[in-house]
């Protein structure tokens, strides 16, 4: 016993001596760490039949969107009965002369943004392009914020104060009431670029936003360009709800590739005509540079752009460029304001060993910014075993970025790997919190764990990270049939080619609120089959 | 005796019933703005590995590098419609946001039953015979406007 207790710290010291950092999962690693009737889920040990949620999408093309279920079963067969379409519907009205209930006759676009009520974290959004007087928007079950936008006149956008909860097969009602046109507060003003109205090649838009919530308070309005003789001198007009007292007007170019900054102007109401000035941000300048790996080799295929604060108080983001085979890039920028920040961002291609690069680079004129050396990503490796203890060979491993860690941006790409003949996988990751998914196939279930890659610096680059080894779970096959209720109004009694996803609610504070356990598609007879974890 | 027919490959398809979200999406780009694209893919050749590439662009450029990639392995037992979805989850408030500017973008998923070089599926060997491989794509329109997501 004494020999073993000495051996553990010695091994740890040996590992540190190699520059490795061993990291654990946020919770348990293997089922053996859990009670006899529990499984080690991504968020910790849990009962097999608790916290399971199921999302079924019968047929999105036919507007039969997701329906959610709670299941608590250890049975081998689980049928589901689906309802017909769920909708949000209501009247589109306008307050005229104090009279509510006047049907709004012009076109309105409707947007419902929300998430599943039963499976938190599963985001859902639905849109209706044009409705008049009334609307019917098919949606998935869930809890939604509703936005309505009059598209034929500049009424302020409407966001309903209360969230709309939609249940299976239900028609949830949400009426929309636009204010009367005559009651709106109007903001008249002029926008100037270095004292002059915007020219046609620098066309500008303005829009009012809530300074606290950043919600749009007006529609976007064009600034009149400088025409022959500039008769209208860059005029614009915005209309906001009568109760509005404070807002921010944001000015931005119409053409996304225009070399013009964006700028925000705080305004209190009521106000007379306002003068908004973008300031003397100067002319475009060409900057170049070269991206290199930590060993000095060229880094091709990286997406590059520059964000900066410019003279006059606006902000500017260049168009994105891509580094060439020699690692060189060129961007068209504006001069950075004295004492203000500018950041060069470079996102290497997913297969590159280079990590995301950000560097402070003020632009003071046309220049070659020089060479930028990326840090190598963190080398992350670990072992995967079968429940028998044997090495798990050829298992697909993917790392899904979940949230950022201090000092590093959230990566956007999945990273993949496969276990080798010794059951070891090696991934190259930027620092972040990841969900590692192991997909063995066959009769073994998908297996996920959360892990934080902090990115501890070594002499050159990051310390390699060894992840705690795992043993895959045993699996149990769950089958069943997806039926439509008689009231669903569908032609078929079963849901063919429906998507089914099984989730577990997560208690991990920095992970998504629900974690995917299994997914499949029903066959033509509406029958499905999935593999779930078992002891 | 007729000779054994040459090995053939059949193309993959996209299960349009399960493509999400709807074809046209309007979104802000502030904190909390996320878009989750997903679709199911089908291939009658149950053993085919499927290769998925994702792009977001304002103007089509055949040389643009993919912004996300995914490999969907065959299911065991084999299933024509693959259990694993092709997915691209996007955080519009992050520095890696593929929709950096206001305006209309196309989001394209390209699914092939052979390895892709650029957008071109490469021939592969089936039973000792080099066979043609195929690619299909699905496109969403994403309209981005500065602002938050409720």
């Amino acid at each position: 016993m004494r020999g073993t207790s000495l051996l553990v710290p010695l091994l740890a010291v040996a590992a540190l001596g190699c520059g490795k950092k061993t990291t654990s999962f946020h919770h348990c690693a293997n089922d053996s760490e859990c009670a006899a009737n529990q499984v080690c889920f991504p968020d910790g040990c849990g009962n097999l039949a608790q916290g399971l949620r199921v999302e079924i999408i019968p047929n999105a093309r036919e507007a039969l969107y997701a329906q959610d279920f709670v299941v608590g079963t250890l049975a081998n067969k689980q049928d589901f009965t689906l309802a017909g379409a769920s909708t949000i519907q209501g009247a589109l009205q306008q307050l005229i002369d104090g009279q509510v209930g006047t049907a709004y006759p012009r076109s309105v676009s409707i947007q419902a943004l929300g998430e599943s009520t039963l499976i938190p974290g599963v985001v859902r959004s639905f849109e209706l392009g044009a409705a008049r007087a009334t609307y019917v928007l098919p949606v998935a079950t869930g809890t939604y914020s509703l936005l309505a936008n009059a598209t034929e006149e500049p009424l302020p956008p409407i966001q309903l104060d209360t969230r709309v909860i939609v249940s299976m097969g239900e028609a949830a009602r949400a009426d929309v009431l636009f204010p009367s046109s005559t009651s709106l507060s109007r903001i008249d003003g002029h926008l100037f670029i270095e004292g002059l109205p915007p020219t046609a090649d620098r066309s500008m838009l303005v829009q009012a936003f809530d300074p606290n919530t950043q919600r749009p308070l007006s529609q976007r309005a064009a600034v009149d360009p400088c025409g022959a003789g500039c008769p209208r001198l860059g005029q614009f007009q915005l209309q906001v709800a009568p109760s509005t007292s404070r807002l921010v007007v944001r000015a931005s170019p119409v053409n996304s590739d225009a070399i013009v900054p964006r700028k925000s102007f705080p305004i209190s109401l009521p106000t007379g005509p306002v003068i908004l000035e973008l300031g003397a941000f100067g002319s475009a300048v060409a900057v170049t540079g070269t991206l290199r790996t930590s060993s000095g080799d060229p880094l091709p295929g990286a997406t590059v752009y520059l964000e900066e604060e410019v003279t006059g108080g606006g902000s500017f983001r260049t168009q994105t460029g891509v580094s060439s085979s020699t690692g060189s890039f060129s961007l068209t920028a504006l001069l950075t304001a004295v004492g203000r920040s500018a950041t060069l961002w470079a996102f290497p291609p997913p297969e590159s060993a280079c990590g995301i690069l950000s560097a402070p680079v003020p632009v003071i004129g046309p220049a070659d910014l020089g060479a930028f050396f990326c840090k190598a990503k963190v080398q992350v490796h670990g072992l995967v075993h079968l429940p028998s203890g044997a090495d798990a060979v050829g298992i697909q491993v993917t790392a899904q970025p979940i949230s950022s860690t201090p000092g590093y941006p959230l990566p956007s790409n999945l990273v993949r790997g496969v276990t080798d003949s010794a059951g070891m996988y090696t991934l190259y990751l930027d620092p972040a919190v990841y969900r590692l998914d192991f997909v063995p196939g066959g009769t073994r279930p998908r297996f996920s764990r959360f892990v934080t890659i902090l990115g501890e610096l070594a002499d050159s680059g990051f310390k390699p990270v060894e992840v705690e080894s795992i043993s895959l779970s045993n699996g149990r096959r769950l089958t069943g049939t997806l039926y439509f209720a008689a009231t669903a109004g569908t032609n078929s009694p079963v849901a063919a080619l429906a998507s089914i996803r099984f989730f577990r609610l997560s208690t991990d504070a920095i992970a998504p609120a629900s974690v995917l356990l299994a997914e499949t598609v029903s066959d033509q007879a509406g029958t499905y089959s999935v593999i779930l974890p078992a002891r | 005796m007729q000779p054994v027919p040459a090995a053939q490959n059949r193309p993959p398809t996209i299960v349009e019933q399960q493509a999400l979200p709807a074809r046209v999406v309007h979104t802000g780009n502030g904190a909390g703005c996320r878009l989750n694209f997903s679709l199911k893919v089908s291939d009658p050749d149950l053993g085919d590995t499927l290769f998925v590439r994702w792009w977001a662009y304002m103007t089509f450029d055949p040389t643009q590098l993919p912004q996300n990639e995914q490999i969907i392995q065959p299911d065991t037992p084999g299933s024509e419609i693959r259990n694993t979805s092709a997915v691209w989850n996007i955080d519009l408030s992050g520095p890696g946001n593929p929709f950096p500017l206001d305006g209309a973008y196309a989001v394209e998923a390209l699914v092939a039953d052979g390895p892709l070089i650029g957008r071109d599926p490469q021939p592969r060997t089936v039973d000792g015979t080099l066979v043609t491989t195929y690619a299909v794509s699905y496109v969403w329109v994403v309209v981005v406007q500065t602002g938050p997501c409720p």
Side-chain angles (χ1 to χ4, degrees), chain A residues 57 59-60 111 127 159 207 209 214 220 250 301 305 317 319 347 396 409 413 416 442 497-499 519-520, chain B residues 17-18 20 25-26 40 65 67-70 73 76 81 83-85 95-96 100-102 145-146 148 150:
Chain A
I57 306 175
N59 188 333
Q111 194 176 15
E127 296 183 20
Q159 180 173 347
Q207 187 172 16
F209 291 87
Q214 309 303 315
R220 292 199 291 185
R250 284 192 200 146
Y305 64 84
R317 174 172 163 163
Q319 294 274 301
F347 294 83
Q396 293 182 69
N413 283 309
R416 278 173 298 278
L497 306 182
S499 163
E519 62 177 334
T520 190
Chain B
Q17 292 95 320
Q18 297 299 344
L20 288 171
V25 182
H26 288 77
K40 290 284 186 183
L65 297 168
Q67 282 134 306
N68 196 8
E69 296 186 64
Q70 188 176 358
Q73 301 284 0
T76 311
I81 299 176
N83 287 333
T84 302
S85 302
L101 305 165
D102 284 10
Q145 185 181 346
T146 298

Side-chain angles (χ1 to χ4, degrees), chain B:
Chain B
M1 289 286 287
Q2 296 290 320
V4 176
Q8 288 187 330
N9 177 39
R10 291 166 290 181
T13 54
I14 288 166
V15 184
E16 295 203 11
Q17 292 95 320
Q18 297 299 344
L20 288 171
R23 285 277 194 181
V24 180
V25 182
H26 288 77
T27 181
N29 56 6
C33 291
R34 300 180 71 91
L35 287 175
N36 298 334
F37 297 93
S38 73
L39 49 80
K40 290 284 186 183
V41 292
S42 173
D43 192 317
D45 299 314
L46 305 186
D48 281 5
T49 297
L50 301 179
F51 300 82
V52 186
R53 285 189 165 181
W54 295 86
W55 287 268
Y57 49 81
M58 283 186 153
T59 305
F60 178 73
D61 174 3
T63 65
Q64 182 185 346
L65 297 168
Q67 282 134 306
N68 196 8
E69 296 186 64
Q70 188 176 358
I71 296 173
I72 298 177
Q73 301 284 0
D75 292 320
T76 311
S79 171
E80 194 164 313
I81 299 176
R82 301 298 195 260
N83 287 333
T84 302
S85 302
V87 293
W88 191 14
N89 299 328
I90 295 170
D91 177 0
L92 282 90
S93 60
N97 168 26
F99 311 114
L101 305 165
D102 284 10
Y105 292 79
V107 169
E108 180 182 3
L110 186 76
V111 181
D113 61 358
L116 286 158
I117 293 181
R119 296 173 155 270
D120 301 323
Q122 302 302 298
R124 58 186 171 83
T125 304
V126 177
D127 298 333
T129 304
L130 200 63
V131 299
T132 302
T133 61
Y134 303 93
V136 289
S137 74
Y138 191 92
V139 175
W140 291 265
V141 175
V142 177
V143 182
V144 179
Q145 185 181 346
T146 298
C149 294

